[in-house]
Amino acid sequence: MPRKKFVAGNWKMNTTLAEAKALGSAIAQGVGSSSKVDVAVCPPFPWLVSVSEVLKGSSVALGAQDVHNEAKGAFTGEVSTGMLKEAGCKYVIVGHSERRHILGESDLTVHLKLHAAVEAGMHVILCVGETLVERERNLAERVFQRQVYSALAGITDEQWPLIVIAYEPVWAIGTGRTATPEQAQLAHLFIRSKLQSMHGEKIANALPILYGGSVTPETAGGLFSQPDVDGGLVGGASLKADQFLAIVKAAGA
Ligand code: PEP
């Protein structure tokens, strides 16, 4: 069965409450109640409940940008899977490069967060990708192979349908420098072939692999036409409804 395309918007630490509601409404209206493409938006934590309200009646799902692996307790500033689910989240992003590289998240932290999320029944967007230095040193494949293996070790048969991978080369995030469709395809094919050798063809073929890194309405079509690119995780361009909707359209909506 062909994989359904998926486009998710990562709003990062942007928007006021009013802007978040307006952006969510415009996206919900543009996508409508059914779509050939799966769509999600990931607003900042404080706006999740309000954005969930404006998405009602549309097929746009709500996601969070991070989660803590513990269910509750003395973890000042953190947010649990239970809280995210109660706020209306279906998805959670785990291992975004800004958390790995700016906030120092390790592979182990990413593994624990991902497992907590799937154990709670949430869908996870696992971000992996190499830095520019790693690419220049020919280490790119080794890096994202390690990130994929360590995060997904121990995933059960029932949990695989909850996993989405986003290949996001760090040098392409927020820089305006997008990977070429060929570079993206090569990386996605590599990840899929490693998944296949570890977990079998069925799991590897069913798992969506998104591309992220300066996706725009202009670059989306070329990227999404690649056989192993199943959509995009979009940062900057997800903050403008018309741009985000154009990217959703490029995915086949
Ligand atoms: C991201 O934050 O995941 C991302 C891909 O950002 P941008 O589209 O701005 O590069």
Side-chain angles (χ1 to χ4, degrees):
M1 210 171 71
R3 292 177 297 272
K4 194 174 179 186
K5 290 270 196 287
F6 177 34
V7 177
N10 174 12
W11 297 359
K12 311 194 187 189
M13 198 169 70
N14 293 300
T15 68
T16 62
L17 176 56
E19 286 165 351
K21 287 189 341 192
L23 181 56
S25 292
I27 291 169
Q29 232 170 32
V31 172
S33 59
S34 74
S35 171
K36 285 190 226 139
V37 175
D38 286 328
V39 181
V41 293
C42 304
F45 287 141
W47 310 156
L48 285 171
V49 172
S50 304
V51 174
S52 135
E53 290 295 320
V54 303
L55 297 181
K56 278 198 180 126
S58 82
S59 60
V60 180
L62 189 69
Q65 299 172 21
D66 187 33
V67 70
H68 193 263
N69 58 286
E70 295 291 343
K72 64 175 186 172
F75 301 99
T76 302
E78 295 295 333
V79 170
S80 70
T81 54
M83 292 169 185
L84 295 182
K85 281 169 61 178
E86 213 174 322
C89 290
K90 173 177 179 183
Y91 291 95
V92 61
I93 299 172
V94 166
H96 192 280
S97 67
E98 285 149 18
R99 299 208 59 89
R100 291 181 192 264
H101 297 292
I102 303 173
L103 296 157
E105 269 188 17
S106 66
D107 285 337
L108 175 61
T109 305
V110 174
H111 172 96
L112 294 173
K113 288 181 174 192
L114 181 138
H115 281 261
V118 294
E119 272 153 34
M122 296 190 78
H123 291 246
V124 171
I125 303 171
L126 166 68
C127 298
V128 300
E130 80 285 2
T131 63
L132 185 58
V133 171
E134 287 161 345
R135 174 160 281 257
E136 285 170 350
R137 292 189 183 154
N138 254 335
L139 295 171
E141 290 181 343
R142 205 181 297 178
V143 169
F144 48 78
Q145 179 174 343
R146 187 200 73 227
Q147 292 171 335
V148 167
Y149 278 14
S150 64
L152 296 176
I155 289 294
T156 64
D157 284 350
E158 302 74 52
Q159 290 171 339
W160 279 109
L162 298 174
I163 307 291
V164 175
I165 292 176
Y167 168 63
E168 301 206 299
V170 180
W171 47 271
I173 296 180
T175 58
R177 202 179 145 192
T178 318
T180 64
E182 294 73 27
Q183 280 173 325
Q185 170 57 22
L186 270 180
H188 287 221
L189 185 60
F190 177 84
I191 292 171
R192 203 178 299 287
S193 63
K194 292 293 162 195
L195 286 169
Q196 183 173 332
S197 49
M198 273 208 76
H199 304 289
E201 197 170 342
K202 198 164 152 233
I203 283 167
N205 283 344
L207 198 145
I209 307 179
L210 313 184
Y211 168 80
S214 300
V215 176
T216 62
E218 292 73 35
T219 57
L223 288 159
F224 299 167
S225 67
Q226 299 298 312
D228 287 287
V229 178
D230 303 314
L233 179 57
V234 184
S238 72
L239 293 169
K240 298 216 167 76
D242 57 342
Q243 289 195 17
F244 185 68
L245 289 168
I247 292 170
V248 171
K249 198 162 170 216

